[in-house]
């Protein structure tokens, strides 16, 4: 069986500034897509055998489909967890072909105006559009393939000098088994050219098999989202923000069936503080409308970006919209950005869409 791709039209990356040559860098503090959930089980196991952080890290519950690192850990916990992830990445292969990403000035953007009253109407339209999208139902043994372009902003310290820098926009490819136990990752600058295996006894929270078991009634779905995110989120992360982030995770590196995707958007409309944004730009420079929510604790707004005409999901980004005391990030800084370039169902864990299975 051949791969069945769903490929958005590419567009130019227009927001980034000229980037500097490759330099040594610290690991971004929880900004990489890679840190979101694939290695949570292994991180927890490593943390159990090392000195505990200031606050406990809660192990994910088996089959919990609402799990994101940013929800689990306060800012102070990212240093230790990031170091664990870094060790896993570097031990995933022989390091051949792995090169540091170029970094340059912080990515910045114009902040789009927020419209709280327009959010329910926009989400209703997005939900209807999502319900009309049909794709092949994956078969046992197949994998979900998702390709994207990503970049992050973080603090880099060299010779006691700390500055805010952004990564070069780079490619990321992920293959995940339907049960969430196995996968493969290739990410420029983060893995070798061949990539690294992703495997765990604890299945991915966004695994296809877990998604198809979720309720598609928006009210019941939202109750489930709150229940499961409450069980793992750090107390510093507001409850409504954790729920919003959890839904966003299921829109990115996962493959929700059409009826579930439609229900997720309707559930999001019920979360307090959700707004519509008139203009937002994904990592490839594609302009669209956005559904967003601001986290007052860190001053960042998480934006889900959609094509203005088709309302197809394009990607997401985090933008600083409010200056927070002691934060190094200025208003307008894009701390993370992504653009989905392809989703497909493939037969093998390293198969590229279009190849024969």
């Amino acid at each position: 069986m051949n791969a069945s791709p769903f490929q958005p039209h590419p567009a130019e990356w227009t927001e980034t500034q000229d980037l500097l040559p490759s330099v040594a860098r610290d690991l971004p503090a929880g900004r990489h897509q890679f840190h979101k959930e694939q290695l949570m089980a292994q991180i927890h196991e490593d943390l159990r055998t090392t000195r505990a952080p200031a606050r406990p890290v809660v192990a994910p519950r088996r089959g919990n489909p609402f799990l994101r690192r940013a929800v689990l850990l306060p800012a102070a916990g990212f240093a230790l967890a990031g170091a664990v992830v870094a060790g896993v990445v570097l031990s995933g292969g022989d390091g051949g072909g792995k090169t540091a990403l170029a970094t340059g000035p912080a990515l910045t953007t114009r902040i789009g105006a927020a419209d709280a009253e327009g959010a329910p109407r926009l989400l209703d339209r997005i939900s209807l559009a999502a319900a009309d999208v049909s794709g092949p139902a994956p078969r046992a043994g197949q994998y979900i393939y998702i390709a994207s372009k990503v970049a992050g902003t973080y603090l880099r310290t060299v010779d006691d000098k700390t500055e805010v820098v952004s990564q070069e926009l780079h490619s990321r490819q992920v293959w995940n088994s339907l049960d969430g136990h196995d996968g493969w990752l290739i990410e420029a600058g983060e893995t070798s050219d061949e990539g690294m295996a992703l495997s765990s006894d604890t299945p991915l929270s966004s695994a296809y098999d877990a998604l198809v078991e979720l309720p598609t009634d928006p009210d019941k779905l939202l109750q489930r989202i709150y229940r499961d995110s409450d069980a793992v989120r750090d107390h510093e992360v507001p409850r409504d923000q954790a729920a919003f982030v959890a839904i966003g995770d299921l829109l990115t590196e996962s493959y929700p069936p059409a009826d579930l995707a439609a229900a997720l958007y309707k559930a999001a409309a019920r979360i307090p503080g959700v707004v519509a944004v008139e203009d937002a730009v994904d990592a490839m420079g594609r302009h669209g409308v956005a559904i967003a929510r601001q986290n007052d604790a860190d001053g960042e707004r998480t934006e889900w970006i959609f094509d203005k005409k088709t309302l197809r999901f394009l990607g997401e980004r985090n933008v600083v919209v409010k200056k927070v005391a002691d934060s190094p990030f200025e208003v307008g800084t894009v701390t993370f950005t992504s653009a989905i370039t392809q989703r497909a169902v493939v037969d093998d864990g390293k198969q590229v869409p279009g190849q024969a299975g």
Side-chain angles (χ1 to χ4, degrees), residues 7 25 34 62 68 77 88 90 93 96 107 130 136 138 148-149 157 199 205-206 235-236 289 324 331:
Q7 186 166 6
R25 61 188 178 91
F34 177 61
R62 179 174 294 274
R68 180 168 171 147
V88 173
L90 295 177
L107 299 173
S148 60
K149 297 286 187 179
T157 301
S199 61
S205 61
S206 57
H235 72 90
E236 292 182 7
V289 293
V324 175
V331 172

Side-chain angles (χ1 to χ4, degrees), residues 73-86:
L73 295 177
F78 279 128
L80 177 58
V84 174
V85 174

Side-chain angles (χ1 to χ4, degrees), residues 66 130 208 210-217 221 250-251 255-266:
F66 306 113
Y208 183 82
L211 297 182
V212 297
E213 297 298 325
L214 293 177
T216 55
D217 176 87
L221 180 59
L250 301 187
L251 302 175
Y255 183 70
D259 57 347
L260 177 61
L264 286 168
Y265 294 125
K266 290 182 179 180

Side-chain angles (χ1 to χ4, degrees), residues 277-302:
V277 179
E278 62 178 6
D279 183 62
V281 186
D282 74 2
M284 293 179 62
R286 299 176 294 194
H287 284 259
V289 293
I291 292 296
R293 193 180 190 285
Q294 179 178 327
N295 182 0
D296 290 329
D298 61 14
E300 292 189 21
R301 187 168 73 189
T302 299

Side-chain angles (χ1 to χ4, degrees), residues 38 101 137 318 350:
Q38 272 81 345
L101 289 170
N318 287 355
K350 301 179 187 179

Side-chain angles (χ1 to χ4, degrees), residues 35-36 90 107 137 153 163 172 252 267 288 313 329 336 347-348:
H35 296 176
K36 290 171 77 170
L90 295 177
L107 299 173
T153 299
E163 59 182 336
R172 174 179 167 87
T252 51
F313 180 79
F329 301 116
F336 179 79
D347 291 331
D348 297 307

Side-chain angles (χ1 to χ4, degrees), residues 47-284:
L47 288 175
R48 285 201 309 159
T49 61
T50 59
R51 188 161 63 93
R55 295 185 178 88
V57 178
V58 181
R61 294 185 298 169
R62 179 174 294 274
N64 174 10
F66 306 113
L67 188 66
R68 180 168 171 147
R69 288 285 317 289
V71 174
L72 300 183
L73 295 177
F78 279 128
L80 177 58
V84 174
V85 174
V88 173
V89 172
L90 295 177
S91 64
D94 60 6
K98 183 180 184 298
T99 57
L101 289 170
T103 55
L107 299 173
T108 59
T109 189
R110 183 184 71 84
I111 299 174
D115 176 14
E117 293 183 359
R121 293 192 300 272
L122 178 57
L123 279 165
D124 186 59
R125 292 172 54 212
I126 292 172
S127 178
L128 290 173
D132 287 338
V133 176
S134 60
R139 295 182 291 103
Q142 291 187 310
Y143 286 75
I144 303 302
Y145 169 84
I146 298 178
S148 60
K149 297 286 187 179
V150 300
T153 299
Y154 60 98
L155 289 179
R156 179 182 60 184
T157 301
V158 179
D159 297 331
D160 296 326
K161 179 182 179 182
T162 300
E163 59 182 336
V164 177
V165 297
S166 291
Q167 296 172 313
E168 183 178 29
L169 185 71
H170 59 282
S171 63
R172 174 179 167 87
Q173 295 173 287
V174 176
W175 293 259
N176 284 317
S177 62
L178 302 187
D179 62 10
H181 286 289
D182 299 293
W184 195 259
L185 168 70
I186 300 177
E187 182 170 354
E190 300 298 332
T191 69
S192 70
D193 291 342
E194 293 77 20
M196 64 172 288
L198 301 174
S199 61
S200 174
D201 291 336
T202 302
L204 294 179
S205 61
S206 57
Y208 183 82
D209 288 351
L211 297 182
V212 297
E213 297 298 325
L214 293 177
T216 55
D217 176 87
D219 291 320
K220 293 180 180 178
L221 180 59
L222 187 58
Q223 289 176 4
R224 175 74 178 273
I225 291 170
Y226 273 116
R227 186 194 74 188
D228 289 346
S229 60
D230 281 347
V232 296
R233 70 182 175 90
D234 182 79
H235 72 90
E236 292 182 7
V237 180
R239 186 170 187 256
D240 292 329
Q241 184 69 15
F244 185 80
V245 168
I247 293 176
D249 281 352
L250 301 187
L251 302 175
T252 51
E253 287 191 347
S254 68
Y255 183 70
D259 57 347
L260 177 61
L264 286 168
Y265 294 125
K266 290 182 179 180
R270 293 159 166 77
I271 298 177
V274 172
V275 300
V277 179
E278 62 178 6
D279 183 62
V281 186
D282 74 2
M284 293 179 62

